[in-house]
Amino acid sequence: NAGVTQTPKFRILKIGQSMTLQCTQDMNHNYMYWYRQDPGMGLKLIYYSVGAGITDKGEVPNGYNVSRSTTEDFPLRLELAAPSQTSVYFCASSWSGGFESTDTQYFGPGTRLTVL
Amino acid sequence: GIQVEQSPPDLILQEGANSTLRCNFSDSVNNLQWFHQNPWGQLINLFYIPSGTKQNGRLSATTVATERYSLLYISSSQTTDSGVYFCAVGDRSNDYKLSFGAGTTVTVRA
């Protein structure tokens, strides 16, 4: 199993540009998440999905969009990039979303994004 | 949402020392997880522990849900324990979504 994979690892954008961060998991997990981590801070939830075709906003959704057409993929779209979106972005997945005692979140390696 | 406070913010240890990290949360939770972020940024789940005590090698964790805190114990610390430790909590009224604390940065010196 590759687990959770993210591409790209690094990216520099100019203000106003758009891009898509890719996330794929091969564990057949129902739940998938996008977080951002600003320097010296904990993670904040951007969007999450409980299954294909179902997405919902997290704590900091403004400026982002997601889609979930398959169980495996959960891309994050940035439209009109702004310097405030400079951050490290993590994708994660889990089987049941925390309902079961054996459930935990598995994280991808992250994407470091800089908006100049 | 649930507020999560972790202490101390920074911890410097000599190799072989023991330490305790604390996580306080503001409301009842049904989901509590501890994570370790290594110096290269990778996040690894350590424990799923909304209540009770668990042990995994040199690490153990205890959550006292009625008093709204959790403790992570590191015994006989090694340099590979360095990194940031995060506590994250969630509850069923919020779809168990995790709210993260700001973390405790641990540096273990040889």
Side-chain angles (χ1 to χ4, degrees):
Chain A
N1 280 354
V4 181
T5 57
Q6 292 182 237
T7 56
K9 287 187 171 55
F10 304 94
R11 184 73 185 268
I12 298 175
L13 284 181
K14 293 182 179 178
I15 294 173
Q17 287 185 320
S18 300
M19 76 165 293
T20 299
L21 281 65
Q22 301 292 345
C23 175
T24 300
Q25 54 92 9
D26 64 357
M27 297 174 281
N28 202 31
H29 284 169
N30 294 314
Y31 287 69
M32 295 188 74
Y33 312 84
W34 274 106
Y35 295 92
R36 59 176 287 172
Q37 183 180 27
D38 297 328
M41 306 288 286
L43 281 71
K44 293 190 187 298
L45 183 65
I46 305 171
Y47 270 95
Y48 70 106
S49 169
V50 303
I54 306 171
T55 62
D56 206 348
K57 296 177 181 178
E59 186 182 353
V60 289
N62 291 346
Y64 308 94
N65 277 301
V66 294
S67 60
R68 182 107 181 261
S69 56
T70 67
T71 299
E72 295 78 20
D73 300 307
F74 190 40
L76 177 72
R77 178 82 178 161
L78 278 73
E79 304 281 1
L80 299 175
S84 60
Q85 293 178 303
T86 294
S87 190
V88 180
Y89 292 83
F90 288 98
C91 179
S93 73
S94 66
W95 173 248
S96 72
F99 302 110
E100 301 174 7
S101 62
T102 55
D103 193 45
T104 59
Q105 287 193 18
Y106 295 85
F107 281 81
T111 294
R112 188 174 296 273
L113 176 68
T114 302
V115 182
L116 300 174
Chain B
I2 302 175
Q3 304 301 309
V4 183
E5 290 186 3
Q6 291 186 243
S7 59
D10 299 281
L11 194 57
I12 298 176
L13 301 171
Q14 206 60 36
E15 201 169 24
N18 302 329
S19 62
T20 301
L21 283 59
R22 186 176 180 103
C23 170
N24 292 333
F25 41 94
S26 61
D27 208 342
S28 60
V29 300
N30 308 104
N31 184 357
L32 189 149
Q33 301 185 33
W34 282 97
F35 296 89
H36 176 227
Q37 186 171 38
N38 67 24
W40 297 271
Q42 180 66 45
L43 280 151
I44 302 294
N45 184 281
L46 299 175
F47 294 104
Y48 173 97
I49 187 165
S51 63
T53 297
K54 289 186 177 179
Q55 181 156 7
N56 184 2
R58 295 180 297 99
L59 299 180
S60 63
T62 295
T63 297
V64 183
T66 53
E67 296 187 23
R68 300 182 185 169
Y69 72 89
S70 183
L71 302 174
L72 179 69
Y73 305 97
I74 305 174
S75 65
S76 303
S77 58
Q78 301 177 357
T79 54
T80 51
D81 296 329
S82 295
V84 184
Y85 290 81
F86 290 104
C87 170
V89 303
D91 71 281
R92 62 170 62 93
S93 69
N94 198 25
D95 288 336
Y96 293 81
K97 297 194 297 289
L98 292 178
S99 296
F100 281 73
T104 293
T105 300
V106 173
T107 303
V108 182
R109 292 181 173 163

